[in-house]
Amino acid sequence: MEAIGKVAQLVEDLSPFQIGTTGRIDGAGFMICGRAKMGWQGGEWNEWYLLFDDGSDGWLAEAQGFYAINIATEVPMQYVAPTSDVKLAGRLDLTLNVGQIVSLSNCQLTVVDVKRVACIGTEGELPRVSDMLTYILSADLIGRDGTYGCIEIHDRHPYAFIGRYVEWEELNAVNFRQFEGWS
């Protein structure tokens, strides 16, 4: 195995998820294999890496009690170009603005947030790892039907994801962490 990036080991937080948590969403079984803890000046959230029973992969984003399942999709190149709209350490810019309508996987989504984030720690297996505290430009998108999307620039490499927000019960999670006072 090759060291791709350097990040901090994570301490446990108050997430119910852990490496080895399994579940089922929309008929597809999954297992959590890794976690990236992301941070920005306003807080932190978890990105859990999922492997599905059919061999595909995806992510479970967990922030402030909200959950979103998403999978990689084609990057809409017309929205990623070197411009001066939003600078990322002078390297590559994301030409998206809050309120803008974009198309991801034939879905019309509205940009609701654009910010600089950093990976502040990881655990388990991940498909890629950014060097700790290297900034990533991230844009969150929402559709009228609850569709969730995200476009990110990692060291000049664009990535796009599409999925939806889900409720805890929809995940059918087992082997999760339990805390005193939970029913």
Side-chain angles (χ1 to χ4, degrees):
M1 184 169 281
E2 178 184 347
I4 298 174
K6 296 177 183 176
V7 294
Q9 286 293 97
L10 294 174
V11 296
E12 289 186 358
D13 58 15
L14 293 178
S15 174
F17 301 108
Q18 61 186 350
I19 306 283
T21 294
T22 59
R24 183 166 292 281
I25 183 80
D26 298 333
F30 67 84
M31 179 174 67
I32 292 178
C33 296
R35 172 173 67 144
K37 177 77 117 181
M38 306 302 292
W40 64 294
Q41 80 181 55
E44 301 174 346
W45 76 93
N46 288 312
E47 295 279 351
W48 296 96
Y49 180 58
L50 308 176
L51 287 180
F52 291 98
D53 290 346
D54 68 0
S56 64
D57 62 354
W59 294 90
L60 169 62
E62 174 195 24
Q64 300 176 344
F66 291 96
Y67 309 111
I69 295 275
N70 57 74
I71 59 171
T73 189
E74 186 175 334
V75 176
M77 292 309 294
Q78 68 268 32
Y79 300 113
V80 180
T83 71
S84 60
D85 290 350
V86 180
K87 293 271 184 195
L88 176 62
R91 292 188 283 177
L92 189 63
D93 306 325
L94 187 61
T95 59
L96 292 170
N97 298 299
V98 171
Q100 182 177 348
I101 306 297
V102 299
S103 179
L104 267 185
S105 296
N106 297 317
C107 295
Q108 297 300 305
L109 304 170
T110 302
V111 177
V112 294
D113 189 35
V114 179
K115 62 182 168 271
R116 286 174 26 146
V117 303
C119 180
I120 57 177
T122 65
E123 66 176 327
E125 297 178 29
L126 298 171
R128 67 179 179 282
V129 178
S130 297
D131 285 339
M132 190 167 84
L133 301 180
T134 297
Y135 287 107
I136 298 163
L137 197 59
S138 177
D140 291 333
L141 309 113
I142 302 294
R144 288 186 192 165
D145 62 354
T147 302
Y148 167 80
C150 182
I151 299 174
E152 299 177 347
I153 304 292
H154 295 244
D155 193 29
R156 295 189 171 265
H157 300 286
Y159 299 93
F161 305 91
I162 191 141
R164 68 182 179 90
Y165 282 100
V166 296
E167 298 294 328
W168 169 257
E169 296 78 20
E170 290 180 85
L171 296 170
N172 299 293
V174 295
N175 189 29
F176 55 89
R177 293 175 52 215
Q178 296 185 13
F179 300 94
E180 190 175 323
W182 279 27
S183 54

